[in-house]
Amino acid sequence: MNHRVVVTGAAGVCPLGESWAEARDSLASLENRVRHVDALEDYNGLNTKLASLVTDFTPPARFDAEAMPAMGRVAQLAVAATEKALNDAGLSDDPVLTGGHTGVAYGSCTGSTAKVCELVDAIRGKPHPPLDRADYVRHLSHTAAVNITTYFGLKGRLIPTPSACTAGSQSIGYACEAIRTGRQTVMLAGGAEEFCASEAAVFDVLYATSTANAAPGSTPRPFDRDRDGLVIGEGAGTLVLENRDHALARGAPILCEVVGFGTNADGAHVTRPNRVTMARALQQALDDARLSGTDIGYVNAHGTATEHGDIAESNATAEVLGRAVPISSLKSYIGHTLGACGALEAWMVINMMRDNWYAPTVNLDHVDERCGDLDYLRDAPRILDNEFVMSNNFAFGGINTSVVFRRA
């Protein structure tokens, strides 16, 4: 049996805020949250000094070291977003959570990198804070997923998705498949990332980071001919996916339906985007949803503001959808949140679809003529009445994902 899958709860913790109302107001201001980060000045040879951070997040007292000893910042962000999503879904105290019928699919690039650094210092005999037995779990790549299962008492499937920039979107797709096939009734899906200079350094050595250090608000510039690279961000996003019959039976609020998912690998270069396999992933999502390209009313682009990525992605999108579909990149507001981006963007896209209101790409002044022939939203939000929207993400390692949502 192929069960239908709906989203009954969604939440995010990101530089734009911790509620959709806050995030929408921030998006409507057409100003991003990129800032000069003084701490990056301490690293020799690091060109970028920019990031987009969650500055107002205070972990609840119940997340303290005694109660949740294995919870580093990335897990704190993930659990906080998940708690908000469960409240949104009306499932906080439902027995479906703890009876083995609810699982979690969640990802990040790494665990808490601060703990990784302390462990390395210990191995190398350098001074470091005292280590404890929970440190290992704090820096595991699946620490967010593990802490979610522990905190909420989940006993269902655990599907870690530490696939870099597709961690959040892969989690949504794999969670959807677990419900479709009847293996789970509810799945908590998402991604999280905490900021660390090491992540900025990874892209810095590839000359892929923005160095507009004196003008933070002017970058990143997805699809713009004058782009100069990406900016690292942080945050967490969680969707509550549910068997539609179960959701209807309990009178749950249905935000949207997940109707299509595609994912594949380039099987070639680990850092250079591949237009052909990107297009194939998008087509897989359309086929899974039994839709044609003309059905998609809006595309949330991965849109990192890197030259090869912007060009390959936009041309693949234009090729598969077959027309100048409206498209924008939310990374222009919050930077690249890596493992969190697929989930955070899905949270915002679902709400934009419900509001018939779509944020444009900021800092997009001159579309690169090498990009695909698309309807790039810029200058102002757009009112659109869409039944289907698509959200795409692509990651190092040549991983491509596409998810299609249907308005409830």
Side-chain angles (χ1 to χ4, degrees), residues 68 70-72 75 79 137 142-152:
M68 298 297 294
M71 196 183 286
V79 172
V137 180
H142 62 299
T143 186
V146 166
N147 274 283
I148 289 170
T149 61
T150 303
Y151 188 81
F152 297 104

Side-chain angles (χ1 to χ4, degrees), residues 146-224:
V146 166
N147 274 283
I148 289 170
T149 61
T150 303
Y151 188 81
F152 297 104
L154 309 183
K155 300 176 180 65
R157 292 195 165 196
L158 192 158
I159 307 173
T161 56
S163 59
C165 314
T166 54
S169 49
Q170 274 199 327
S171 75
I172 296 168
Y174 293 155
C176 179
E177 292 176 345
I179 296 172
R180 278 183 178 177
T181 54
R183 289 171 171 80
Q184 298 282 233
T185 302
V186 176
M187 288 290 293
L188 310 182
E193 207 73 60
E194 67 177 65
F195 174 74
C196 179
S198 65
E199 294 172 333
V202 167
F203 293 94
D204 210 60
V205 297
L206 295 171
Y207 301 102
T209 52
S210 173
T211 57
N213 299 317
S218 70
T219 191
R221 310 177 68 86
F223 307 115
D224 193 273

Side-chain angles (χ1 to χ4, degrees), residues 354-376:
R354 287 168 56 80
D355 290 352
N356 293 333
W357 179 96
Y358 295 83
T361 303
V362 292
N363 295 322
L364 179 51
D365 298 325
H366 306 95
V367 177
D368 188 332
E369 62 183 13
R370 297 169 295 173
C371 286
D373 183 14
L374 298 167
D375 180 7
Y376 296 92

Side-chain angles (χ1 to χ4, degrees), residues 103 126 187 336 395:
K126 291 187 173 184
M187 288 290 293
H336 194 342

